[in-house]
Amino acid sequence: MSYPILLIFHLLLAIAFIGTVFVEVVMLSGMRHKVPKEMMRVVETEFGNRAVKIMPTVIILLYTFGILLAWQHRGALAQPFASSFGALLTLKILLAISIFAHFITAMVLRKKKRLNGRISARIHLSIFMHMITIVVLAKGMYYF
């Protein structure tokens, strides 16, 4: 598959992932004080259930396309500190690995029924901040 096609699929999947986390972190949290608790609980539960069904596939594909893209830059990754591009790409990959670890942690805690609102909010906020950093680094790779 050509690099531009890989990149487009990767970007579309990243938009889906980032958008989902954005809704959870920014949109839903902003509604909590304005919507009755019972209704908010239903909305969050249903949103979470839908995300649990869709996001594993999105994440698997996102990471698959990310790995295929990274393979195209294996020369830069072989010596990550020889160029700013290689260093920023390496940092992006490390952040992506961290996001994946966050995701797995959330799924395990959810399965064990230990994922409460506070832990979930912290995980989502951390993932959101990681994602924002990755987006900035992605743009910076071609300008620094």
Side-chain angles (χ1 to χ4, degrees), residues 123-134:
I123 289 172
H124 283 97
L125 181 60
S126 179
I127 288 174
F128 185 66
M129 297 309 294
H130 279 64
M131 289 177 175
I132 296 298
T133 305
I134 286 174

Side-chain angles (χ1 to χ4, degrees), residues 103-116:
F103 179 76
I104 295 299
T105 300
M107 292 296 101
V108 168
L109 290 173
R110 182 180 170 96
K111 191 166 193 147
K112 291 182 177 184
K113 304 211 184 294
R114 291 182 39 211
L115 185 63
N116 62 36

Side-chain angles (χ1 to χ4, degrees), residues 14-142:
I15 289 167
F17 189 36
I18 293 168
T20 301
V21 177
F22 176 83
V23 168
E24 289 187 270
V25 171
V26 177
M27 304 301 280
L28 291 179
S29 68
M31 295 170 44
R32 274 196 191 87
H33 303 293
K34 298 177 182 178
V35 176
K37 286 184 182 183
E38 294 298 321
M39 189 180 296
M40 196 65 208
R41 194 170 296 130
V42 171
V43 168
E44 287 177 331
T45 299
E46 290 306 314
F47 187 88
N49 289 341
R50 186 71 177 145
V52 166
K53 287 179 184 173
I54 294 171
M55 293 318 294
T57 302
V58 169
I59 289 172
I60 288 167
L61 291 172
L62 175 64
Y63 279 80
T64 299
F65 284 107
I67 290 166
L68 292 171
L69 287 169
W71 181 253
Q72 304 291 319
H73 299 288
R74 61 190 175 277
L77 292 169
Q79 297 178 343
F81 301 108
S83 68
S84 60
F85 180 90
L88 295 176
L89 180 58
T90 300
L91 184 53
K92 274 183 56 187
I93 290 169
L94 291 173
L95 288 168
I97 291 168
S98 178
I99 288 172
F100 191 73
H102 281 71
F103 179 76
I104 295 299
T105 300
M107 292 296 101
V108 168
L109 290 173
R110 182 180 170 96
K111 191 166 193 147
K112 291 182 177 184
K113 304 211 184 294
R114 291 182 39 211
L115 185 63
N116 62 36
R118 174 181 251 163
I119 294 170
S120 179
R122 286 183 178 169
I123 289 172
H124 283 97
L125 181 60
S126 179
I127 288 174
F128 185 66
M129 297 309 294
H130 279 64
M131 289 177 175
I132 296 298
T133 305
I134 286 174
V135 168
V136 171
L137 290 172
K139 293 307 288 180
M141 285 170 41
Y142 296 98

